[in-house]
Amino acid sequence: RFVHKTVIIPHDEKKFRGGEDSASTSDHMLIVADGVGGWASKGINPGLYSNLLTKTILTKFNRTLDKNVHMTIDDPKLNNANYLTELVHESNEEAAAKHLGSATCTVLRLLNSNLLETLNVGDSGYSIHRRVTSSDDASSGLDGSLEVIYASTPGQKGFNYPYQLGGPNGDIVAKVADGPRQHQLVDKDIIIVVSDGVSDNLQPYQYHDCINEWTWSKHELLSYSIVADCIARKAYRLGKDKTYDSPFSQSAKSYGKRYVGGKHDDITVTVAQIE
């Protein structure tokens, strides 16, 4: 099962409505969604759709388990190739029927103790971090260094224009999602799920200072919430730095656009390990 904590820091100007990001988590599923802010100009709270989307995905998944009391997370009914795509599609349609809006969405599902399944739409994302011990580390008695084993790639139609869900106002899951993917895990791998308020300001390797500070000798995190808070606050600070060469500014350059500094936005960080 996942052992996890989530920290959310709303954009300064969106705190009054709780921001536009949402996260729903359980022992076997982690979900982050980022409501598209443009809806606010039309008098619509983007957080309503993103919040309902993550809750609906998790509720429908849990309901499937509850209806089949003997079903385990690795049951074939849950592990057909289209399950996660269909789950997100159905949840998207239900949420969009109740709230106007759209959102990026990242879903991670634990299939067993060493296998992770993921589906990602847009520029929220996730990364997997592993302590790797080289022969030099072993001979010197060092614990090894953290490496980014995998980091998702943003799905975008253009610069700062991500794929997004939203029923008739969004994209079709099966056409734009990255995944479902599967990742083999090893003991003590660290999984981090973020909204673009983090990824626009930090590369995944930049999480490592926060992880290392709160890791003990057995490679277990001493506090998931403190690590998540450390990453979130780092992204918040850099997002307001007008001179920082951020991932967002680097992306702008790749599209032939000029942008200097971080990008202040809603921030969501979920940090997890497998127990």
Side-chain angles (χ1 to χ4, degrees):
R1 70 184 185 98
F2 287 124
V3 183
H4 56 89
K5 288 293 182 182
T6 298
V7 169
I8 297 178
I9 303 178
H11 185 291
D12 288 351
E13 297 176 1
K14 303 173 184 177
K15 288 182 178 178
F16 70 96
R17 62 170 179 259
E20 298 163 355
D21 283 1
S22 178
S24 295
T25 58
S26 72
D27 286 354
H28 298 113
M29 185 167 278
L30 309 173
I31 313 161
V32 167
D34 174 12
V36 175
W39 287 95
S41 64
K42 300 179 180 180
I44 295 165
N45 180 354
L48 295 177
Y49 168 76
S50 64
N51 186 56
L52 185 58
L53 176 64
T54 64
K55 287 183 176 178
T56 303
I57 294 170
L58 187 58
T59 298
K60 289 174 76 67
F61 175 68
N62 288 339
R63 190 178 296 149
T64 301
L65 292 177
D66 291 342
K67 284 182 178 178
N68 300 271
V69 294
H70 299 297
M71 182 182 289
T72 60
I73 58 170
D74 57 356
D75 190 285
K77 291 181 180 178
L78 293 177
N79 290 330
N80 72 76
N82 297 319
Y83 174 77
L84 208 54
T85 302
E86 292 170 356
L87 173 66
V88 174
H89 169 73
E90 292 171 5
S91 301
N92 169 36
E93 294 297 316
E94 287 188 23
K98 296 181 179 178
H99 291 299
L100 281 173
S102 56
T104 65
C105 186
T106 303
V107 182
L108 283 69
R109 179 168 68 114
L110 191 61
L111 295 178
N112 57 52
S113 61
N114 61 3
L115 188 61
L116 184 71
E117 183 181 43
T118 68
L119 185 142
N120 194 40
V121 176
D123 57 4
S124 295
Y126 66 97
S127 52
I128 302 170
H129 306 255
R130 182 173 300 163
R131 190 76 59 178
V132 178
T133 303
S134 68
S135 57
D136 291 338
D137 292 330
S139 62
S140 64
L142 297 176
D143 284 331
S145 58
L146 275 172
E147 292 187 7
V148 180
I149 299 302
Y150 181 85
S152 60
T153 301
Q156 301 187 117
K157 303 174 187 179
F159 174 63
N160 201 28
Y161 186 16
Y163 294 124
Q164 54 203 260
L165 305 179
N169 301 301
D171 299 301
I172 298 172
V173 178
K175 291 184 177 181
V176 303
D178 178 13
R181 288 178 177 268
Q182 291 189 356
H183 302 278
Q184 290 287 337
L185 303 175
V186 302
D187 188 37
K188 302 300 185 279
D189 275 356
I190 297 167
I191 301 156
I192 299 180
V193 193
V194 300
S195 64
D196 69 343
V198 177
S199 56
D200 281 341
N201 296 299
L202 292 172
Q203 298 286 1
Y205 74 86
Q206 292 177 283
Y207 309 160
H208 290 174
D209 287 347
C210 294
I211 295 171
N212 285 327
E213 186 174 359
W214 296 98
T215 301
W216 73 315
S217 60
K218 294 184 178 180
H219 300 172
E220 292 179 353
L221 296 182
L222 294 173
S223 171
Y224 299 91
S225 58
I226 292 179
V227 174
D229 186 69
C230 177
I231 295 169
R233 290 181 183 276
K234 189 174 184 179
Y236 177 87
R237 174 176 57 81
L238 291 173
K240 303 184 82 171
D241 185 339
K242 296 181 180 180
T243 64
Y244 174 51
D245 186 20
S246 65
F248 186 79
S249 66
Q250 294 167 21
S251 175
K253 291 175 188 175
S254 72
Y255 281 92
K257 300 181 181 295
R258 177 173 172 77
Y259 183 96
V260 180
K263 184 174 183 288
H264 181 48
D265 203 350
D266 294 322
I267 290 167
T268 297
V269 183
T270 296
V271 175
Q273 281 185 307
I274 311 303
E275 182 178 80

